[in-house]
Amino acid sequence: MAGLTGHPVLEIGDKFEELQNNIFNNNKNKEVIDKAGLVVKGEENSNNNNNNQGGERDMAPPTSNSLHRSGSRPQLDLSKAAIQGNSEERDPTILLPNQSDDISHFALDIGGSLIKLVYFSRHEGQSIDDKRKKTVKEISNGSRRSYPILGGRLHFVKFETSKLNECLDFISSKQLHNGRIDSHYWNSEAPNKENAVIKATGGGAYKFADLFKERLGVSIDKEDEMDCLVAGANFLLKAIRHEAFTHMEGHKEFVQIDHNDLFPYLLVNVGSGVSMIKVDGDGKFQRVSGTNVGGGTYWGLGRLLTKCNSFDELLELSQRGDNRTIDMLVGDIYGGMDYSKIGLSASTIASSFGKAISDKKELEDHRPEDISLSLLRMISYNIGQISYLNALRFGLKRIFFGGFFIRGHAYTMDTISFAVHFWSQGQAQAMFLRHEGFLGALGAFMSYEKLGLDDLMVHQLVERFPMGAPYTGGKIHGPPLGNLNEKISWMEKFVLKGTEITAPVPMAPPGTTGLGGFEVPSSKGGTLRSDASALNVGVLHLVPTLEVFPLLANPKMYEPNTIDLSDHCELEYWFTVLSEHLPDLVDKAVASEGGTDDAKRRGDAFARAFSAHLARLMEEPAAYGKLGLANLLELREECLREFQFLDAYRSIKQRENEVSLAVLPDLLMELDRMDEEARLLTLIEGVLAANIFDWGSRACVDLYHKGTIIDIYRMSRNKMQRPWRVDDFDLFRERMLGSEGKKPRPHKRALLFVDNSGADVVLGMLPLARELLRRGTEVVLVANSLPALNDVTAMELPDIVAEAAKHCDILRRAAEAGGLLVDAMTNTLDGSKENCSSVPLMVVENGCGSPCIDLRQVSSELASAAKHADLLAMVKNQRLAEKLIKGEIYDCVCRYEPAS
């Protein structure tokens, strides 16, 4: 303990600046933490005893600012809290070993047909590699913020209300009612929560309250349904990118709405009846209109007229209907002619069910399919018309539709969309929400006091699509799978039962849906499946440490997907590439886990799962939201991790790094023999050349077989003949070397975004970093947070740098100054300042686990580093190795924009 006496005592409040609103006076022992992680116990209820020996201090319980403890309010157990990581950081991570995770984790919307459940689970903690602790402190300059919420995941699950027991079993199995989700991470012995209160909305919150009390021992706190709908819609529209979309003529187009320009809007909730709500802000709304002709009307009349047993059965009937046999058209009245004077075509519906008056047919003489379609069109058109008229009445620009009646049904959305377009003469659009079925449940979840969700921004949310029942958006097939073994077993049965679960049904060729007016679908409704636009929603990851890259010129206009997969040719090309590469990827993944039988089983399950994702997306590219190549590649990496393949290219990357490090000394000697100008040009050519060494491609493997890695590197470098497609090298050279009496102006800090392991980082980026360090520029190597293909990760870089530093004093001194060498870091922490005169070489993670990076969502660590950077270097090229094999000189981009 002697070594700890020099550290000042740190009060809990110092580290929980934004969390202390969640700390309650529960008259238990309070504890404080010293900066070295020493836990010192204070006296119970001792407010003023600050004279303890040995630097101890009691934490006074809050008095004037004490908060009332609510059964629904989060509470933190601070006993035996300890700092994790570097004690010198201003805001280090604090572990709460006795935290019972006694926080409400779910809320319900219990409707007449469906139960919608939103539940929360913790992110598991990730240890910080010792070699990077000091790096974080140096770059952050003590500015890392303390977040008011813990990272986690929001899950969206649906059950049929008629199968309420399945929902209750699911809640019980996950211990959601005890606040125990992921409780093994906090405290596996945490006692069950007594007298628990859960939030719920919808009619079932009243109807089934006694059953929840009997089965789960919880009381239901009933939340107002309209309050929840609006709160859920506001959250989604402000916090989730591309939540809203239009649906016209079978085409889904996502809309990005500036949350600063969101209000006011009209929210049309189409349930049994229809409510139209004018929303002016958070908690500010009024019901301005409605109609009793809604989903209940369609289902009630449909059941009477067609004898269907379910709402979905009635919708399915409409797909095969032809309403011309029942609806009276303008052409029926005017002898097949248009009424052109007032702009009505002959196929416009003049009167829904009008022909039933004169055709002298009995009910049984009409096809149920035709009745269903006519009924659907009649109700949908009227909802669309009344909604637009109310929006016009209040001068509202946006109309959002949701509710039980819509439920992602493509034909319904098309019909409502046309009605709004028709009556507004194209001035207004109907918009729909991907999570529309969960508005109420999400609003009820947010009604728990201060969960921190209202402070989340769009860049802090990432949606993932794990494989497994239920396939949200489609039919309900039981509760989600409980663990990996269940998931693998389910995937092994996929060949036999997969079509029942993901239902990849071929669609008709693209074309008009026939909704060219209040008109009869020429296809009789057949081109759109009832679930063709099913609203598939994934798990919403809440990551408070993600930020927008601060150097983006215009974050709102930035688009990370450079390849447009709405182009069918591009979509087909990339799906073919991914499908053909899948067997090789599975082999690598299994090999990375030692080739065990368990690994083979997981590999097979991964292949089936990812193939199912591709089949669903090939059927409808917008099924999971707006789709770009970056999303598709990220989906593959997430799918690998889902089946516990954490680094499929581990052994390949190790081999690449070893081979590249072995030839690095020769390359550095070659560079040092050059004059400054030749060396600088060679370094840039080398960065471009080294990037072709992507060992994920077959072409690069073929290259390797044709010669040694250094020979191939030099051959590739020699092909970089200027001028390049974009060639700003002369500007860069002038800044670096000076010209015509101008002195060189070294950059203050450079961010080098590294890509592939092996030659790319070792022979390309490290020599460039060395040159910048030589000229007094701080260098920050930016790498993936998680493995993806053969990309190098931030956790792997310190070892690579340490090996390279053995052959170079410049790299060694900079790595020591940046805390990347363990011995040097230890000396620095002990107070030694030797070898720290060099500018530092540092490493940060980018917050990404994909081959592509989205600069709208980067780690807070990278965002902090970027604020003082005046040079960025990133190399991302496509299909380069393939072109090189063919003898082509590919287009090179060397873009340099001097800082203003």
Short mmCIF file of all heavy atoms in Angstrom, two decimals, residues 156-157 465-472 475 477-483 486-488 490-491 494 501-502 536-537 539 609 612-613 624 639 642-643:
data_model
loop_
_atom_site.label_atom_id
_atom_site.label_comp_id
_atom_site.label_asym_id
_atom_site.label_seq_id
_atom_site.Cartn_x
_atom_site.Cartn_y
_atom_site.Cartn_z
N PHE A 156 -36.36 -5.90 -30.53
CA PHE A 156 -37.76 -5.73 -30.89
C PHE A 156 -38.34 -7.12 -31.22
O PHE A 156 -37.88 -7.78 -32.14
CB PHE A 156 -37.90 -4.81 -32.09
CG PHE A 156 -37.29 -3.44 -31.87
CD1 PHE A 156 -35.95 -3.20 -32.13
CD2 PHE A 156 -38.07 -2.40 -31.39
CE1 PHE A 156 -35.40 -1.95 -31.92
CE2 PHE A 156 -37.52 -1.14 -31.18
CZ PHE A 156 -36.19 -0.92 -31.44
N VAL A 157 -39.36 -7.51 -30.48
CA VAL A 157 -39.91 -8.86 -30.63
C VAL A 157 -41.43 -8.78 -30.69
O VAL A 157 -42.04 -7.96 -29.99
CB VAL A 157 -39.49 -9.78 -29.46
CG1 VAL A 157 -39.93 -11.21 -29.72
CG2 VAL A 157 -37.99 -9.71 -29.24
N PHE A 465 -28.68 -7.19 -37.76
CA PHE A 465 -29.73 -8.14 -38.11
C PHE A 465 -29.28 -9.57 -37.85
O PHE A 465 -28.84 -10.27 -38.75
CB PHE A 465 -30.13 -7.97 -39.58
CG PHE A 465 -30.82 -6.68 -39.85
CD1 PHE A 465 -30.10 -5.54 -40.17
CD2 PHE A 465 -32.19 -6.58 -39.75
CE1 PHE A 465 -30.73 -4.34 -40.40
CE2 PHE A 465 -32.84 -5.38 -39.98
CZ PHE A 465 -32.11 -4.25 -40.30
N PRO A 466 -29.38 -10.01 -36.60
CA PRO A 466 -29.01 -11.40 -36.29
C PRO A 466 -30.00 -12.37 -36.91
O PRO A 466 -31.15 -12.02 -37.18
CB PRO A 466 -29.06 -11.45 -34.77
CG PRO A 466 -30.01 -10.37 -34.39
CD PRO A 466 -29.85 -9.29 -35.41
N MET A 467 -29.53 -13.58 -37.14
CA MET A 467 -30.37 -14.60 -37.75
C MET A 467 -31.10 -15.37 -36.66
O MET A 467 -30.54 -15.68 -35.62
CB MET A 467 -29.50 -15.56 -38.57
CG MET A 467 -30.28 -16.70 -39.24
SD MET A 467 -31.62 -16.13 -40.32
CE MET A 467 -30.70 -15.26 -41.58
N GLY A 468 -32.37 -15.68 -36.90
CA GLY A 468 -33.10 -16.51 -35.95
C GLY A 468 -34.54 -16.07 -35.85
O GLY A 468 -34.89 -14.93 -36.12
N ALA A 469 -35.41 -16.99 -35.44
CA ALA A 469 -36.82 -16.67 -35.27
C ALA A 469 -36.99 -15.75 -34.07
O ALA A 469 -36.22 -15.81 -33.13
CB ALA A 469 -37.60 -17.96 -35.06
N PRO A 470 -38.00 -14.88 -34.02
CA PRO A 470 -38.93 -14.70 -35.13
C PRO A 470 -38.32 -13.80 -36.20
O PRO A 470 -37.51 -12.95 -35.90
CB PRO A 470 -40.12 -14.00 -34.47
CG PRO A 470 -39.49 -13.19 -33.38
CD PRO A 470 -38.34 -14.02 -32.88
N TYR A 471 -38.76 -14.01 -37.40
CA TYR A 471 -38.27 -13.20 -38.51
C TYR A 471 -39.15 -11.96 -38.55
O TYR A 471 -40.17 -11.91 -39.19
CB TYR A 471 -38.38 -14.01 -39.80
CG TYR A 471 -37.54 -13.50 -40.92
CD1 TYR A 471 -36.16 -13.56 -40.86
CD2 TYR A 471 -38.13 -12.97 -42.06
CE1 TYR A 471 -35.38 -13.11 -41.91
CE2 TYR A 471 -37.36 -12.51 -43.11
CZ TYR A 471 -35.99 -12.57 -43.03
OH TYR A 471 -35.21 -12.12 -44.06
N THR A 472 -38.80 -10.96 -37.75
CA THR A 472 -39.67 -9.81 -37.55
C THR A 472 -40.04 -9.17 -38.87
O THR A 472 -39.23 -9.00 -39.75
CB THR A 472 -39.00 -8.75 -36.66
OG1 THR A 472 -37.63 -8.70 -36.98
CG2 THR A 472 -39.20 -9.05 -35.21
N LYS A 475 -44.25 -13.50 -40.67
CA LYS A 475 -45.07 -14.24 -39.73
C LYS A 475 -44.28 -14.53 -38.46
O LYS A 475 -43.06 -14.53 -38.45
CB LYS A 475 -45.55 -15.55 -40.36
CG LYS A 475 -46.51 -15.32 -41.52
CD LYS A 475 -47.02 -16.64 -42.08
CE LYS A 475 -48.00 -16.41 -43.22
NZ LYS A 475 -48.50 -17.69 -43.78
N HIS A 477 -42.93 -16.87 -35.59
CA HIS A 477 -42.60 -18.28 -35.48
C HIS A 477 -42.06 -18.63 -34.10
O HIS A 477 -41.18 -19.46 -33.95
CB HIS A 477 -41.56 -18.66 -36.55
CG HIS A 477 -42.05 -18.50 -37.95
ND1 HIS A 477 -42.79 -19.44 -38.61
CD2 HIS A 477 -41.95 -17.46 -38.80
CE1 HIS A 477 -43.11 -19.00 -39.82
NE2 HIS A 477 -42.61 -17.80 -39.96
N GLY A 478 -42.56 -17.97 -33.09
CA GLY A 478 -42.12 -18.30 -31.74
C GLY A 478 -41.06 -17.34 -31.24
O GLY A 478 -40.61 -16.46 -31.94
N PRO A 479 -40.66 -17.52 -30.00
CA PRO A 479 -39.72 -16.59 -29.37
C PRO A 479 -38.33 -16.68 -29.99
O PRO A 479 -37.98 -17.67 -30.62
CB PRO A 479 -39.69 -17.05 -27.90
CG PRO A 479 -40.09 -18.49 -27.95
CD PRO A 479 -41.07 -18.60 -29.07
N PRO A 480 -37.52 -15.62 -29.83
CA PRO A 480 -36.15 -15.65 -30.35
C PRO A 480 -35.35 -16.79 -29.75
O PRO A 480 -35.65 -17.27 -28.65
CB PRO A 480 -35.58 -14.30 -29.91
CG PRO A 480 -36.78 -13.44 -29.71
CD PRO A 480 -37.85 -14.35 -29.21
N LEU A 481 -34.34 -17.20 -30.45
CA LEU A 481 -33.52 -18.31 -30.00
C LEU A 481 -32.69 -17.89 -28.80
O LEU A 481 -32.16 -16.79 -28.75
CB LEU A 481 -32.62 -18.77 -31.14
CG LEU A 481 -33.41 -19.17 -32.40
CD1 LEU A 481 -32.47 -19.42 -33.55
CD2 LEU A 481 -34.25 -20.39 -32.14
N GLY A 482 -32.58 -18.78 -27.83
CA GLY A 482 -31.99 -18.42 -26.55
C GLY A 482 -30.48 -18.37 -26.52
O GLY A 482 -29.89 -17.57 -25.84
N ASN A 483 -29.81 -19.26 -27.26
CA ASN A 483 -28.36 -19.29 -27.20
C ASN A 483 -27.81 -19.81 -28.51
O ASN A 483 -28.55 -20.14 -29.44
CB ASN A 483 -27.90 -20.19 -26.03
CG ASN A 483 -28.50 -21.58 -26.12
OD1 ASN A 483 -28.47 -22.22 -27.16
ND2 ASN A 483 -29.07 -22.06 -25.02
N GLU A 486 -28.93 -23.34 -29.70
CA GLU A 486 -30.28 -23.32 -30.27
C GLU A 486 -30.27 -22.75 -31.68
O GLU A 486 -30.93 -23.24 -32.58
CB GLU A 486 -31.20 -22.47 -29.39
CG GLU A 486 -31.66 -23.14 -28.11
CD GLU A 486 -32.66 -22.27 -27.37
OE1 GLU A 486 -33.40 -21.51 -28.02
OE2 GLU A 486 -32.69 -22.35 -26.14
N LYS A 487 -29.47 -21.69 -31.85
CA LYS A 487 -29.41 -21.03 -33.16
C LYS A 487 -28.80 -21.97 -34.20
O LYS A 487 -29.28 -22.06 -35.33
CB LYS A 487 -28.59 -19.74 -33.05
CG LYS A 487 -28.57 -18.94 -34.33
CD LYS A 487 -27.98 -17.57 -34.09
CE LYS A 487 -28.93 -16.73 -33.27
NZ LYS A 487 -28.50 -15.33 -33.14
N ILE A 488 -27.74 -22.68 -33.82
CA ILE A 488 -27.09 -23.60 -34.76
C ILE A 488 -28.04 -24.74 -35.12
O ILE A 488 -28.16 -25.13 -36.28
CB ILE A 488 -25.78 -24.14 -34.17
CG1 ILE A 488 -24.75 -23.01 -34.07
CG2 ILE A 488 -25.22 -25.26 -35.03
CD1 ILE A 488 -23.49 -23.39 -33.36
N TRP A 490 -31.21 -24.62 -35.13
CA TRP A 490 -32.24 -24.06 -36.00
C TRP A 490 -31.72 -23.91 -37.42
O TRP A 490 -32.41 -24.22 -38.38
CB TRP A 490 -32.65 -22.70 -35.42
CG TRP A 490 -33.74 -22.01 -36.17
CD1 TRP A 490 -35.07 -22.25 -36.09
CD2 TRP A 490 -33.58 -20.93 -37.09
NE1 TRP A 490 -35.76 -21.38 -36.91
CE2 TRP A 490 -34.87 -20.57 -37.53
CE3 TRP A 490 -32.48 -20.23 -37.58
CZ2 TRP A 490 -35.08 -19.54 -38.44
CZ3 TRP A 490 -32.68 -19.21 -38.49
CH2 TRP A 490 -33.98 -18.88 -38.90
N MET A 491 -30.45 -23.49 -37.54
CA MET A 491 -29.88 -23.32 -38.88
C MET A 491 -29.68 -24.66 -39.57
O MET A 491 -29.80 -24.78 -40.78
CB MET A 491 -28.55 -22.58 -38.80
CG MET A 491 -28.65 -21.10 -38.43
SD MET A 491 -29.82 -20.17 -39.44
CE MET A 491 -29.23 -20.54 -41.08
N PHE A 494 -32.52 -25.59 -41.43
CA PHE A 494 -32.92 -24.54 -42.37
C PHE A 494 -33.21 -25.11 -43.76
O PHE A 494 -34.09 -24.62 -44.46
CB PHE A 494 -31.83 -23.48 -42.44
CG PHE A 494 -32.20 -22.31 -43.29
CD1 PHE A 494 -33.03 -21.32 -42.79
CD2 PHE A 494 -31.74 -22.19 -44.59
CE1 PHE A 494 -33.38 -20.23 -43.56
CE2 PHE A 494 -32.09 -21.10 -45.36
CZ PHE A 494 -32.91 -20.12 -44.85
N ILE A 501 -39.63 -20.06 -42.81
CA ILE A 501 -39.19 -19.01 -41.88
C ILE A 501 -38.85 -17.73 -42.62
O ILE A 501 -39.31 -16.66 -42.25
CB ILE A 501 -37.98 -19.51 -41.07
CG1 ILE A 501 -38.41 -20.73 -40.25
CG2 ILE A 501 -37.44 -18.42 -40.15
CD1 ILE A 501 -37.28 -21.51 -39.65
N THR A 502 -38.05 -17.81 -43.65
CA THR A 502 -37.66 -16.59 -44.36
C THR A 502 -38.46 -16.37 -45.64
O THR A 502 -38.45 -15.28 -46.18
CB THR A 502 -36.17 -16.60 -44.71
OG1 THR A 502 -35.90 -17.73 -45.55
CG2 THR A 502 -35.32 -16.69 -43.48
N ASN A 536 -38.63 -5.43 -41.81
CA ASN A 536 -37.66 -6.18 -41.02
C ASN A 536 -36.87 -5.23 -40.15
O ASN A 536 -36.24 -4.30 -40.64
CB ASN A 536 -36.70 -6.96 -41.93
CG ASN A 536 -37.45 -7.97 -42.77
OD1 ASN A 536 -37.94 -7.63 -43.84
ND2 ASN A 536 -37.55 -9.19 -42.30
N VAL A 537 -36.91 -5.43 -38.86
CA VAL A 537 -36.14 -4.60 -37.95
C VAL A 537 -35.16 -5.48 -37.19
O VAL A 537 -35.42 -6.65 -36.93
CB VAL A 537 -37.04 -3.83 -36.96
CG1 VAL A 537 -37.95 -2.88 -37.71
CG2 VAL A 537 -37.86 -4.78 -36.09
N VAL A 539 -31.66 -5.60 -34.22
CA VAL A 539 -31.31 -5.21 -32.87
C VAL A 539 -30.63 -3.85 -32.94
O VAL A 539 -29.71 -3.64 -33.72
CB VAL A 539 -30.38 -6.25 -32.22
CG1 VAL A 539 -29.94 -5.79 -30.83
CG2 VAL A 539 -31.07 -7.60 -32.14
N ALA A 609 -26.80 -19.13 -42.62
CA ALA A 609 -27.38 -17.88 -42.15
C ALA A 609 -27.10 -16.75 -43.13
O ALA A 609 -28.01 -16.00 -43.51
CB ALA A 609 -26.83 -17.54 -40.76
N ALA A 612 -29.03 -17.05 -46.24
CA ALA A 612 -30.43 -16.65 -46.04
C ALA A 612 -30.57 -15.13 -46.09
O ALA A 612 -31.52 -14.59 -46.66
CB ALA A 612 -30.94 -17.18 -44.71
N HIS A 613 -29.61 -14.43 -45.49
CA HIS A 613 -29.62 -12.96 -45.58
C HIS A 613 -29.54 -12.51 -47.03
O HIS A 613 -30.27 -11.61 -47.46
CB HIS A 613 -28.44 -12.38 -44.80
CG HIS A 613 -28.63 -12.33 -43.32
ND1 HIS A 613 -29.69 -11.67 -42.72
CD2 HIS A 613 -27.89 -12.84 -42.31
CE1 HIS A 613 -29.58 -11.77 -41.41
NE2 HIS A 613 -28.51 -12.48 -41.13
N TYR A 624 -33.91 -4.56 -45.11
CA TYR A 624 -33.28 -4.21 -43.83
C TYR A 624 -33.00 -2.72 -43.72
O TYR A 624 -32.23 -2.29 -42.87
CB TYR A 624 -31.95 -4.95 -43.68
CG TYR A 624 -32.04 -6.46 -43.60
CD1 TYR A 624 -30.88 -7.23 -43.66
CD2 TYR A 624 -33.26 -7.12 -43.49
CE1 TYR A 624 -30.95 -8.61 -43.59
CE2 TYR A 624 -33.32 -8.49 -43.43
CZ TYR A 624 -32.16 -9.25 -43.49
OH TYR A 624 -32.23 -10.61 -43.43
N CYS A 639 -22.40 -11.40 -39.05
CA CYS A 639 -22.87 -12.79 -39.10
C CYS A 639 -21.77 -13.74 -38.64
O CYS A 639 -22.02 -14.71 -37.93
CB CYS A 639 -23.33 -13.11 -40.52
SG CYS A 639 -24.47 -14.49 -40.62
N GLU A 642 -21.61 -13.48 -34.99
CA GLU A 642 -22.79 -14.09 -34.40
C GLU A 642 -22.56 -15.57 -34.11
O GLU A 642 -23.05 -16.11 -33.13
CB GLU A 642 -23.99 -13.90 -35.32
CG GLU A 642 -25.30 -14.41 -34.76
CD GLU A 642 -26.45 -14.19 -35.72
OE1 GLU A 642 -26.23 -13.62 -36.82
OE2 GLU A 642 -27.57 -14.57 -35.39
N PHE A 643 -21.79 -16.22 -34.98
CA PHE A 643 -21.50 -17.63 -34.79
C PHE A 643 -20.10 -17.84 -34.21
O PHE A 643 -19.48 -18.87 -34.40
CB PHE A 643 -21.70 -18.39 -36.11
CG PHE A 643 -23.13 -18.46 -36.52
CD1 PHE A 643 -23.67 -17.53 -37.39
CD2 PHE A 643 -23.98 -19.43 -35.99
CE1 PHE A 643 -25.01 -17.56 -37.73
CE2 PHE A 643 -25.32 -19.48 -36.33
CZ PHE A 643 -25.84 -18.54 -37.20
#
